[in-house]
Amino acid sequence: QVQLVESGGGLVQAGGSLRLSCGVSGRTSLSYAMGWFRQAPGKEREFVAGIKWRNGNTNYGDSVKGRFTISRDRDKKTAYLQMNSLKPEDTAVYYCAAAFNQNIYAPRESSDYDSWGQGTQVTVSS
């Protein structure tokens, strides 16, 4: 397992932008997949975006396609989530997660991830 620390959350008006960061420490592997999930009060945890550490392949949840961009910097051991055109329904606690995974794309199920960050709150006001 690795240790993950998120940062960058906060309060933003609808239509604004935020960038979340996820720092990775511990023994990492090029076979890792990084995922961003979110959970709003009373709702299930939702897949937002994923990226493969080795080749940078990305995938996204339907609700954020075209607005959010996931990326990673292997030298800095950091994953990012750039969130543009934010909506009030994007309000949630955002978590980054890591999975040792050999597939082409990052998994979409939270149960496939074995390391999680502590979460960072994102609040979008209308």
Side-chain angles (χ1 to χ4, degrees), residues 3 9 29 31 41 49 64-65 74 84 89 114 116:
Q3 292 75 48
S29 166
S31 295
V64 306
K65 279 181 183 177
R74 280 163 43 174
N84 297 330
E89 51 264 43
D114 47 32
W116 291 84

Side-chain angles (χ1 to χ4, degrees), residues 28-82:
T28 58
S29 166
L30 288 177
S31 295
Y32 266 100
M34 301 296 298
W36 284 98
F37 289 80
R38 67 186 182 186
Q39 189 165 20
K43 294 189 176 181
E44 294 187 353
R45 192 164 292 190
E46 174 189 14
F47 174 77
V48 175
I51 189 167
K52 291 304 302 282
W53 207 250
R54 181 187 300 274
N55 55 26
N57 283 350
T58 60
N59 51 342
Y60 296 91
D62 290 341
S63 61
V64 306
K65 279 181 183 177
R67 299 188 298 123
F68 291 11
T69 303
I70 188 171
S71 61
R72 90 297 189 226
D73 185 324
R74 280 163 43 174
D75 291 336
K76 294 183 178 179
K77 296 178 73 173
T78 301
Y80 303 96
L81 184 68
Q82 178 66 43

Side-chain angles (χ1 to χ4, degrees), residues 100-113:
F100 186 81
N101 182 278
Q102 303 278 18
N103 294 339
I104 296 174
Y105 293 100
R108 293 173 172 265
E109 296 295 328
S110 59
S111 58
D112 289 326
Y113 290 81

